[in-house]
Amino acid sequence: MICLLCSTPFTTRTWNQLVFGKGDVICRECREKFIPTNGNSERSYFYQTPFENALDSLTCMFIYDEWMKQYFHRYKKLGDYALHQVFSGHFRHFYPCVPVPIFNGSENDKTFSPVEALLVPQHIVHLLEKTTPIKQSQRTLYQRLHSSNPFSWTGTEKIPSRIVLVDDIYTTGMTLHQAALLLKENGVREVHGVCLAETLSKKV
């Protein structure tokens, strides 16, 4: 096989490959450069705010460092859809899943949703829509904490009592908490957040 990240030929000898014909899509050297998180991902500035209990749990898988930043540049910025395979296996046991939506405006249109591509299609439930093109990365933490909720409710079918809310990058956590709060306000009892990568906590 050819590594999707470094283009180096490599071989894998795994049970999945032998039985199902499925092996890793990147070489071991590239895989080992992704650093798992180690510690509490919660942000203390949500305490004693309406967002304090929006999430019942939070799981961030990897650290958003320079290597992960390069991955996201190719995957999201350059639109290399094949790179969803690098981490999709980490999400296949989560269901039902609500992906944090992207804004469907003109200059923000993408050929695919980077978050949805990580998930098993049969596990996805669409309950939210993003109503503004403004990106959280363009705001300070203070602006994020005092901004209106950028999501609207679109659920029309039976609402699951337990939801896994999925996003790609957890920075301040505002996006995930705003989406989770809206899910709770519309009848979802449990919301468990899952993010692929986590940055360091930002200060106000």
Coordinates of all heavy atoms in Angstrom, one line a residue, residues 90-176:
H90 N -11.9 5.3 14.2 CA -12.0 5.7 15.6 C -13.5 6.1 15.9 O -13.8 6.3 17.1 CB -11.1 6.9 15.9 CG -9.6 6.6 15.9 ND1 -8.9 6.3 14.7 CD2 -8.7 6.5 16.9 CE1 -7.7 6.0 15.0 NE2 -7.5 6.1 16.3
F91 N -14.3 6.3 14.9 CA -15.6 6.8 15.1 C -16.7 5.8 14.8 O -17.9 6.1 15.1 CB -15.9 8.1 14.3 CG -15.1 9.3 14.7 CD1 -13.8 9.4 14.1 CD2 -15.6 10.2 15.5 CE1 -13.1 10.6 14.5 CE2 -14.9 11.3 15.9 CZ -13.6 11.5 15.4
R92 N -16.4 4.6 14.3 CA -17.4 3.7 13.9 C -18.3 3.1 15.0 O -19.4 2.6 14.7 CB -16.8 2.6 13.1 CG -15.7 1.7 13.8 CD -15.3 0.6 12.9 NE -14.2 -0.1 13.5 CZ -12.9 -0.2 13.1 NH1 -12.6 0.4 11.9 NH2 -12.0 -0.9 13.7
H93 N -17.8 3.2 16.2 CA -18.6 2.6 17.3 C -19.4 3.6 18.0 O -20.1 3.3 19.0 CB -17.6 1.9 18.4 CG -16.6 2.8 19.0 ND1 -15.5 3.2 18.3 CD2 -16.6 3.4 20.2 CE1 -14.8 4.0 19.1 NE2 -15.4 4.1 20.2
F94 N -19.5 4.9 17.5 CA -20.3 5.9 18.1 C -21.7 6.0 17.4 O -21.6 6.1 16.1 CB -19.6 7.3 18.1 CG -18.4 7.4 18.9 CD1 -17.2 7.7 18.4 CD2 -18.5 7.1 20.3 CE1 -16.0 7.8 19.1 CE2 -17.3 7.2 21.1 CZ -16.1 7.5 20.5
Y95 N -22.8 6.0 18.1 CA -24.1 6.1 17.4 C -25.2 6.3 18.5 O -25.0 5.9 19.6 CB -24.4 4.9 16.6 CG -24.5 3.6 17.3 CD1 -25.7 3.1 17.8 CD2 -23.3 2.8 17.5 CE1 -25.7 1.9 18.5 CE2 -23.4 1.6 18.2 CZ -24.6 1.2 18.7 OH -24.6 0.0 19.4
P96 N -26.3 7.0 18.2 CA -26.5 7.8 17.0 C -25.6 9.1 17.1 O -25.4 9.6 18.1 CB -28.0 8.1 17.0 CG -28.3 8.1 18.4 CD -27.5 7.0 19.0
C97 N -25.1 9.6 15.9 CA -24.2 10.7 15.9 C -24.9 11.9 15.3 O -25.5 11.8 14.2 CB -23.0 10.4 15.1 SG -21.9 9.1 15.8
V98 N -24.7 13.1 15.9 CA -25.0 14.4 15.3 C -23.7 15.1 14.9 O -23.0 15.5 15.9 CB -25.9 15.2 16.2 CG1 -26.1 16.6 15.6 CG2 -27.3 14.5 16.4
P99 N -23.4 15.2 13.7 CA -22.2 16.0 13.3 C -22.5 17.5 13.5 O -23.5 18.0 13.2 CB -22.0 15.6 11.9 CG -23.3 15.3 11.3 CD -24.1 14.7 12.5
V100 N -21.5 18.2 14.0 CA -21.6 19.7 14.1 C -21.6 20.2 12.7 O -20.7 20.0 11.9 CB -20.4 20.3 14.9 CG1 -20.5 21.8 14.7 CG2 -20.5 19.9 16.3
P101 N -22.7 20.9 12.3 CA -22.9 21.3 10.8 C -22.0 22.4 10.5 O -21.6 23.2 11.3 CB -24.4 21.6 10.7 CG -24.7 22.1 12.1 CD -23.9 21.3 13.1
I102 N -21.7 22.5 9.2 CA -21.0 23.7 8.6 C -22.0 24.6 7.9 O -23.1 24.1 7.5 CB -19.9 23.2 7.6 CG1 -20.5 22.4 6.5 CG2 -18.8 22.5 8.3 CD1 -19.5 22.0 5.4
F103 N -21.7 25.8 7.7 CA -22.6 26.8 7.1 C -22.6 26.5 5.6 O -21.5 26.4 4.9 CB -22.1 28.2 7.4 CG -23.0 29.2 6.7 CD1 -24.3 29.5 7.2 CD2 -22.6 30.0 5.6 CE1 -25.1 30.5 6.6 CE2 -23.4 31.0 5.1 CZ -24.6 31.2 5.5
N104 N -23.8 26.5 5.0 CA -23.9 26.2 3.5 C -24.0 27.5 2.7 O -24.9 27.6 1.9 CB -25.1 25.3 3.3 CG -24.9 23.9 3.8 OD1 -23.9 23.4 3.7 ND2 -26.0 23.4 4.4
G105 N -23.1 28.4 3.0 CA -23.1 29.7 2.3 C -22.2 29.6 1.1 O -21.4 28.6 0.9
S106 N -22.2 30.6 0.2 CA -21.5 30.5 -1.1 C -20.0 30.3 -0.9 O -19.5 29.2 -1.4 CB -21.7 31.8 -1.8 OG -21.3 32.9 -1.0
E107 N -19.2 31.2 -0.2 CA -17.8 31.0 -0.2 C -17.4 29.9 0.8 O -16.2 29.5 0.9 CB -17.1 32.3 0.2 CG -17.5 32.9 1.5 CD -16.7 34.2 1.8 OE1 -15.5 34.1 1.9 OE2 -17.4 35.2 1.9
N108 N -18.3 29.4 1.6 CA -18.0 28.4 2.6 C -18.4 27.0 2.1 O -18.2 26.0 2.9 CB -18.7 28.7 3.9 CG -18.1 29.9 4.6 OD1 -17.0 29.9 5.2 ND2 -18.8 31.1 4.4
D109 N -19.0 26.9 0.9 CA -19.4 25.6 0.4 C -18.2 24.7 0.3 O -17.1 25.1 -0.2 CB -20.1 25.8 -1.0 CG -21.5 26.2 -0.9 OD1 -22.1 26.1 0.2 OD2 -22.0 26.7 -1.9
K110 N -18.4 23.4 0.7 CA -17.4 22.4 0.6 C -17.9 21.3 -0.2 O -19.1 21.1 -0.3 CB -16.9 22.0 2.0 CG -16.3 23.1 2.8 CD -15.8 22.5 4.2 CE -15.3 23.6 5.0 NZ -14.0 24.2 4.5
T111 N -17.1 20.5 -0.8 CA -17.5 19.3 -1.6 C -18.0 18.2 -0.7 O -18.7 17.3 -1.1 CB -16.4 18.8 -2.5 OG1 -15.2 18.5 -1.7 CG2 -16.1 19.9 -3.6
F112 N -17.5 18.3 0.6 CA -18.0 17.3 1.6 C -17.8 17.9 3.0 O -17.1 18.9 3.2 CB -17.1 16.0 1.5 CG -15.7 16.2 1.9 CD1 -15.2 15.9 3.2 CD2 -14.7 16.7 1.0 CE1 -13.9 16.1 3.5 CE2 -13.4 16.9 1.3 CZ -13.0 16.6 2.6
S113 N -18.6 17.3 3.9 CA -18.5 17.7 5.3 C -17.3 16.9 6.0 O -17.4 15.7 6.1 CB -19.8 17.5 6.0 OG -19.6 17.6 7.4
P114 N -16.3 17.6 6.4 CA -15.1 16.9 7.1 C -15.5 16.1 8.3 O -15.0 15.0 8.5 CB -14.2 18.0 7.5 CG -14.5 19.2 6.5 CD -16.0 19.1 6.4
V115 N -16.5 16.5 9.0 CA -17.0 15.8 10.2 C -17.8 14.6 9.8 O -17.6 13.4 10.2 CB -17.8 16.7 11.2 CG1 -18.3 15.8 12.4 CG2 -16.9 17.8 11.7
E116 N -18.8 14.8 8.9 CA -19.6 13.7 8.5 C -18.9 12.6 7.8 O -19.2 11.4 7.9 CB -20.7 14.2 7.5 CG -21.9 14.9 8.2 CD -23.0 15.1 7.2 OE1 -23.3 14.2 6.4 OE2 -23.7 16.1 7.3
A117 N -17.8 12.9 7.1 CA -17.0 11.9 6.4 C -16.3 11.0 7.3 O -16.0 9.8 7.0 CB -16.0 12.6 5.5
L118 N -16.1 11.4 8.6 CA -15.5 10.5 9.6 C -16.5 9.4 10.1 O -16.1 8.4 10.7 CB -15.0 11.3 10.7 CG -13.8 12.3 10.4 CD1 -13.6 13.2 11.7 CD2 -12.6 11.6 10.0
L119 N -17.8 9.7 9.9 CA -18.8 8.9 10.6 C -19.4 7.8 9.7 O -19.3 7.9 8.5 CB -19.9 9.8 11.1 CG -19.5 11.0 12.0 CD1 -20.7 11.8 12.3 CD2 -18.8 10.5 13.2
V120 N -20.0 6.8 10.3 CA -20.7 5.8 9.6 C -22.0 6.4 9.1 O -22.8 6.9 10.0 CB -21.0 4.5 10.4 CG1 -21.8 3.5 9.7 CG2 -19.7 3.9 10.9
P121 N -22.3 6.4 7.8 CA -23.5 7.1 7.3 C -24.8 6.7 8.0 O -25.7 7.5 8.3 CB -23.6 6.8 5.9 CG -22.1 6.6 5.5 CD -21.5 5.9 6.7
Q122 N -24.9 5.4 8.3 CA -26.1 4.9 9.0 C -26.3 5.3 10.4 O -27.4 5.2 11.0 CB -26.2 3.3 8.9 CG -26.3 2.7 7.5 CD -24.9 2.6 6.9 OE1 -23.9 3.2 7.3 NE2 -24.8 1.8 5.8
H123 N -25.2 5.9 11.0 CA -25.3 6.3 12.4 C -25.6 7.8 12.5 O -25.8 8.3 13.6 CB -23.9 6.0 13.1 CG -23.6 4.6 13.2 ND1 -22.4 4.1 13.7 CD2 -24.3 3.5 13.0 CE1 -22.4 2.8 13.7 NE2 -23.6 2.4 13.3
I124 N -25.7 8.5 11.4 CA -25.8 10.0 11.4 C -27.3 10.4 11.5 O -28.2 9.8 10.9 CB -25.2 10.6 10.1 CG1 -23.7 10.3 10.1 CG2 -25.5 12.1 10.1 CD1 -23.1 10.8 8.8
V125 N -27.5 11.3 12.4 CA -28.8 11.9 12.6 C -28.7 13.4 12.4 O -27.9 14.1 13.2 CB -29.4 11.6 14.0 CG1 -30.8 12.3 14.1 CG2 -29.5 10.1 14.2
H126 N -29.4 14.1 11.5 CA -29.3 15.5 11.3 C -30.4 16.2 12.1 O -31.6 16.1 11.8 CB -29.4 15.8 9.8 CG -28.3 15.3 9.0 ND1 -28.3 14.2 8.2 CD2 -27.0 15.8 8.8 CE1 -27.2 14.0 7.6 NE2 -26.3 15.0 8.0
L127 N -29.9 17.0 13.1 CA -30.9 17.7 13.9 C -30.6 19.2 14.0 O -31.4 20.0 14.5 CB -30.8 17.1 15.4 CG -31.2 15.7 15.6 CD1 -31.1 15.3 17.0 CD2 -32.7 15.5 15.1
L128 N -29.4 19.6 13.5 CA -29.0 21.0 13.6 C -28.6 21.6 12.2 O -28.2 20.8 11.3 CB -27.8 21.1 14.5 CG -27.9 20.5 16.0 CD1 -26.6 20.6 16.7 CD2 -29.0 21.3 16.7
E129 N -28.7 22.9 12.2 CA -28.2 23.6 11.0 C -27.5 24.9 11.5 O -27.9 25.5 12.4 CB -29.4 24.0 10.1 CG -29.1 24.9 8.9 CD -30.3 25.3 8.1 OE1 -31.3 25.8 8.8 OE2 -30.3 25.2 6.9
K130 N -26.4 25.2 10.8 CA -25.6 26.4 11.1 C -26.2 27.6 10.3 O -26.3 27.5 9.1 CB -24.1 26.2 10.9 CG -23.3 27.4 11.4 CD -21.8 27.1 11.3 CE -21.0 28.3 12.0 NZ -19.6 28.1 11.8
T131 N -26.5 28.6 11.0 CA -27.2 29.8 10.4 C -26.3 31.0 10.1 O -26.8 32.0 9.7 CB -28.4 30.2 11.3 OG1 -27.9 30.5 12.6 CG2 -29.4 29.1 11.5
T132 N -25.1 30.9 10.5 CA -24.2 32.0 10.2 C -22.8 31.6 9.6 O -22.4 30.5 10.0 CB -23.9 32.8 11.5 OG1 -22.9 33.8 11.3 CG2 -23.4 31.9 12.6
P133 N -22.3 32.4 8.7 CA -21.0 32.0 8.1 C -19.8 32.3 9.0 O -18.7 31.9 8.7 CB -21.0 32.8 6.8 CG -21.7 34.1 7.2 CD -22.8 33.6 8.1
I134 N -20.0 33.0 10.1 CA -18.9 33.5 11.0 C -18.2 32.2 11.6 O -18.9 31.4 12.2 CB -19.4 34.4 12.0 CG1 -19.9 35.7 11.4 CG2 -18.2 34.8 13.0 CD1 -20.5 36.7 12.4
K135 N -16.9 32.1 11.5 CA -16.2 31.0 12.1 C -15.8 31.4 13.5 O -15.4 32.6 13.8 CB -15.0 30.7 11.3 CG -15.3 30.2 9.8 CD -14.1 29.9 9.1 CE -14.4 29.5 7.7 NZ -13.1 29.2 6.9
Q136 N -15.8 30.5 14.4 CA -15.4 30.7 15.8 C -13.9 31.1 15.8 O -13.5 31.9 16.7 CB -15.6 29.5 16.7 CG -17.1 29.2 16.9 CD -17.8 30.1 17.9 OE1 -17.4 31.3 18.1 NE2 -18.8 29.7 18.6
S137 N -13.1 30.6 14.9 CA -11.7 30.9 14.9 C -11.4 32.4 14.6 O -10.3 32.9 14.9 CB -11.0 30.0 13.8 OG -11.5 30.3 12.6
Q138 N -12.4 33.1 14.1 CA -12.3 34.5 13.8 C -12.6 35.4 15.1 O -12.5 36.6 15.0 CB -13.2 34.9 12.7 CG -12.8 34.2 11.4 CD -13.9 34.4 10.3 OE1 -15.0 34.9 10.5 NE2 -13.5 34.1 9.0
R139 N -13.0 34.7 16.2 CA -13.5 35.5 17.4 C -12.5 35.2 18.5 O -11.9 34.2 18.6 CB -14.9 35.1 17.8 CG -16.0 35.4 16.8 CD -17.3 34.8 17.1 NE -18.4 35.4 16.4 CZ -19.6 34.9 16.4 NH1 -19.9 33.7 17.0 NH2 -20.6 35.5 15.7
T140 N -12.5 36.2 19.4 CA -11.8 36.0 20.7 C -12.7 35.1 21.6 O -13.8 34.9 21.3 CB -11.5 37.3 21.4 OG1 -12.8 37.9 21.8 CG2 -10.7 38.2 20.5
L141 N -12.1 34.6 22.7 CA -12.9 33.7 23.6 C -14.0 34.5 24.2 O -15.1 34.0 24.3 CB -12.0 33.2 24.7 CG -12.7 32.4 25.8 CD1 -13.5 31.2 25.2 CD2 -11.7 31.9 26.8
Y142 N -13.8 35.8 24.5 CA -14.8 36.6 25.1 C -16.0 36.8 24.1 O -17.1 36.7 24.5 CB -14.3 38.0 25.5 CG -15.3 39.0 26.0 CD1 -15.6 39.0 27.4 CD2 -16.0 39.8 25.2 CE1 -16.5 39.8 27.9 CE2 -17.0 40.7 25.7 CZ -17.2 40.7 27.1 OH -18.2 41.5 27.6
Q143 N -15.6 37.0 22.8 CA -16.7 37.1 21.8 C -17.4 35.8 21.7 O -18.7 35.8 21.4 CB -16.1 37.6 20.5 CG -15.5 39.0 20.5 CD -14.8 39.3 19.2 OE1 -14.1 38.5 18.6 NE2 -14.8 40.6 18.8
R144 N -16.7 34.7 21.8 CA -17.4 33.4 21.6 C -18.4 33.2 22.7 O -19.5 32.7 22.5 CB -16.4 32.3 21.6 CG -15.4 32.4 20.4 CD -14.5 31.2 20.4 NE -13.3 31.4 19.5 CZ -12.5 30.5 19.1 NH1 -12.8 29.2 19.4 NH2 -11.5 30.8 18.3
L145 N -18.0 33.5 24.0 CA -18.8 33.2 25.1 C -20.0 34.1 25.2 O -21.0 33.8 25.8 CB -18.0 33.5 26.4 CG -16.9 32.4 26.7 CD1 -16.0 32.9 27.9 CD2 -17.5 31.1 27.0
H146 N -20.0 35.3 24.5 CA -21.1 36.2 24.5 C -21.8 36.3 23.2 O -22.6 37.3 23.0 CB -20.6 37.6 25.0 CG -20.1 37.6 26.4 ND1 -18.8 37.3 26.7 CD2 -20.7 38.0 27.5 CE1 -18.7 37.4 28.0 NE2 -19.8 37.8 28.6
S147 N -21.6 35.4 22.3 CA -22.2 35.4 21.0 C -23.5 34.6 21.0 O -23.7 33.8 21.9 CB -21.3 34.8 19.9 OG -21.0 33.4 20.2
S148 N -24.4 34.9 20.1 CA -25.7 34.2 20.0 C -25.4 32.8 19.5 O -24.4 32.6 18.8 CB -26.7 34.9 19.2 OG -26.1 35.1 17.9
N149 N -26.3 31.9 19.7 CA -26.1 30.5 19.2 C -26.2 30.5 17.7 O -27.2 30.9 17.1 CB -27.2 29.6 19.8 CG -26.8 28.1 19.8 OD1 -26.3 27.6 18.8 ND2 -27.1 27.4 20.9
P150 N -25.2 30.0 17.0 CA -25.2 30.0 15.6 C -25.9 28.8 15.0 O -26.0 28.7 13.7 CB -23.7 29.8 15.3 CG -23.1 29.0 16.4 CD -23.9 29.4 17.6
F151 N -26.6 28.0 15.8 CA -27.3 26.8 15.3 C -28.8 26.9 15.5 O -29.2 27.6 16.4 CB -26.8 25.5 16.0 CG -25.3 25.3 15.9 CD1 -24.4 25.5 17.0 CD2 -24.7 24.9 14.7 CE1 -23.1 25.3 16.8 CE2 -23.4 24.7 14.5 CZ -22.5 24.9 15.6
S152 N -29.5 26.3 14.6 CA -31.0 26.2 14.7 C -31.4 24.7 14.7 O -30.7 23.9 14.1 CB -31.6 27.0 13.6 OG -31.3 26.4 12.3
W153 N -32.5 24.5 15.2 CA -33.1 23.1 15.3 C -33.8 22.7 14.0 O -34.6 23.5 13.5 CB -34.0 23.0 16.5 CG -34.7 21.7 16.7 CD1 -35.9 21.3 16.3 CD2 -34.1 20.5 17.3 NE1 -36.2 20.0 16.6 CE2 -35.0 19.5 17.2 CE3 -32.8 20.2 17.8 CZ2 -34.8 18.2 17.7 CZ3 -32.6 19.0 18.3 CH2 -33.6 18.0 18.3
T154 N -33.5 21.5 13.5 CA -34.1 21.1 12.2 C -34.7 19.7 12.4 O -35.2 19.1 11.4 CB -33.1 21.0 11.1 OG1 -32.0 20.1 11.4 CG2 -32.5 22.4 10.8
G155 N -34.7 19.2 13.6 CA -35.2 17.8 13.9 C -36.7 17.7 13.6 O -37.5 18.6 14.1
T156 N -37.1 16.7 12.9 CA -38.5 16.5 12.6 C -39.0 15.1 12.9 O -40.2 14.9 13.0 CB -38.8 16.8 11.1 OG1 -38.0 15.9 10.3 CG2 -38.5 18.2 10.7
E157 N -38.1 14.2 13.1 CA -38.4 12.8 13.4 C -38.3 12.6 14.9 O -38.0 13.5 15.7 CB -37.5 11.9 12.6 CG -37.6 12.1 11.1 CD -36.7 11.2 10.3 OE1 -36.0 10.4 10.9 OE2 -36.7 11.2 9.1
K158 N -38.4 11.3 15.3 CA -38.3 10.9 16.7 C -36.9 11.3 17.1 O -35.9 10.9 16.5 CB -38.6 9.4 16.8 CG -38.5 9.0 18.3 CD -38.8 7.5 18.4 CE -38.7 7.1 19.9 NZ -39.0 5.6 20.0
I159 N -36.8 11.9 18.3 CA -35.6 12.4 18.8 C -34.9 11.3 19.7 O -35.6 10.8 20.7 CB -35.8 13.7 19.7 CG1 -36.4 14.7 18.8 CG2 -34.4 14.2 20.2 CD1 -36.8 16.0 19.6
P160 N -33.7 10.9 19.4 CA -33.0 9.9 20.3 C -32.8 10.5 21.7 O -32.6 11.7 21.9 CB -31.7 9.7 19.6 CG -31.9 10.1 18.2 CD -32.9 11.3 18.3
S161 N -32.9 9.7 22.7 CA -32.7 10.2 24.1 C -31.2 10.4 24.4 O -30.9 11.2 25.3 CB -33.3 9.2 25.1 OG -32.6 7.9 25.0
R162 N -30.4 9.7 23.6 CA -28.9 9.9 23.8 C -28.3 10.1 22.5 O -28.5 9.5 21.5 CB -28.4 8.6 24.4 CG -26.8 8.6 24.6 CD -26.4 7.2 25.1 NE -24.9 7.1 25.3 CZ -24.1 6.9 24.4 NH1 -24.5 6.7 23.1 NH2 -22.8 6.9 24.6
I163 N -27.4 11.2 22.5 CA -26.8 11.6 21.2 C -25.2 11.7 21.4 O -24.8 12.1 22.5 CB -27.3 13.0 20.8 CG1 -28.7 12.8 20.1 CG2 -26.3 13.7 19.8 CD1 -28.7 12.1 18.8
V164 N -24.5 11.3 20.4 CA -23.1 11.6 20.4 C -22.9 12.7 19.4 O -23.2 12.6 18.2 CB -22.2 10.4 19.9 CG1 -20.8 10.7 19.8 CG2 -22.5 9.2 20.8
L165 N -22.4 13.9 20.0 CA -22.2 15.1 19.2 C -20.7 15.1 18.8 O -19.8 15.1 19.6 CB -22.6 16.3 20.0 CG -22.4 17.7 19.4 CD1 -23.4 17.8 18.2 CD2 -22.7 18.8 20.4
V166 N -20.5 15.2 17.5 CA -19.1 15.0 16.9 C -18.7 16.3 16.2 O -19.4 16.9 15.4 CB -19.1 13.9 15.9 CG1 -17.6 13.6 15.5 CG2 -19.6 12.6 16.6
D167 N -17.4 16.7 16.6 CA -16.8 17.8 15.9 C -15.3 17.4 15.6 O -14.8 16.4 16.1 CB -16.8 19.1 16.7 CG -16.7 20.4 15.9 OD1 -16.6 20.2 14.6 OD2 -16.7 21.5 16.4
D168 N -14.6 18.2 14.8 CA -13.3 17.8 14.4 C -12.2 18.4 15.4 O -11.3 17.7 15.8 CB -13.0 18.2 13.0 CG -13.4 19.6 12.6 OD1 -13.7 20.4 13.5 OD2 -13.4 20.0 11.4
I169 N -12.3 19.7 15.7 CA -11.3 20.3 16.5 C -12.0 21.0 17.7 O -12.9 21.8 17.5 CB -10.5 21.4 15.7 CG1 -9.9 20.7 14.5 CG2 -9.4 22.0 16.6 CD1 -9.2 21.7 13.6
Y170 N -11.5 20.8 18.9 CA -12.0 21.4 20.1 C -11.0 22.4 20.6 O -9.9 22.1 21.1 CB -12.1 20.3 21.2 CG -12.8 20.7 22.5 CD1 -14.2 20.7 22.5 CD2 -12.1 21.0 23.6 CE1 -14.9 21.1 23.7 CE2 -12.7 21.4 24.8 CZ -14.1 21.4 24.8 OH -14.8 21.8 26.0
T171 N -11.3 23.7 20.5 CA -10.4 24.8 20.9 C -10.9 25.3 22.2 O -10.5 24.9 23.3 CB -10.4 25.8 19.8 OG1 -10.0 25.2 18.6 CG2 -9.3 26.9 20.2
T172 N -11.8 26.3 22.2 CA -12.4 26.8 23.4 C -13.6 25.9 23.8 O -14.0 25.9 25.0 CB -13.0 28.2 23.2 OG1 -14.0 28.2 22.2 CG2 -11.9 29.2 22.7
G173 N -14.2 25.1 22.9 CA -15.3 24.3 23.2 C -16.7 25.0 23.0 O -17.7 24.4 23.3
M174 N -16.6 26.2 22.6 CA -17.9 27.0 22.5 C -18.8 26.4 21.5 O -20.0 26.2 21.7 CB -17.6 28.4 22.1 CG -18.7 29.4 22.3 SD -19.1 29.6 24.1 CE -20.9 29.4 24.1
T175 N -18.3 26.0 20.3 CA -19.2 25.4 19.3 C -19.9 24.2 19.8 O -21.1 24.0 19.6 CB -18.3 25.1 18.0 OG1 -17.7 26.3 17.5 CG2 -19.2 24.4 17.0
L176 N -19.1 23.3 20.4 CA -19.7 22.0 20.9 C -20.7 22.3 22.0 O -21.8 21.7 22.0 CB -18.6 21.1 21.4 CG -18.8 19.6 21.3 CD1 -18.9 19.2 19.9 CD2 -17.8 18.9 22.0

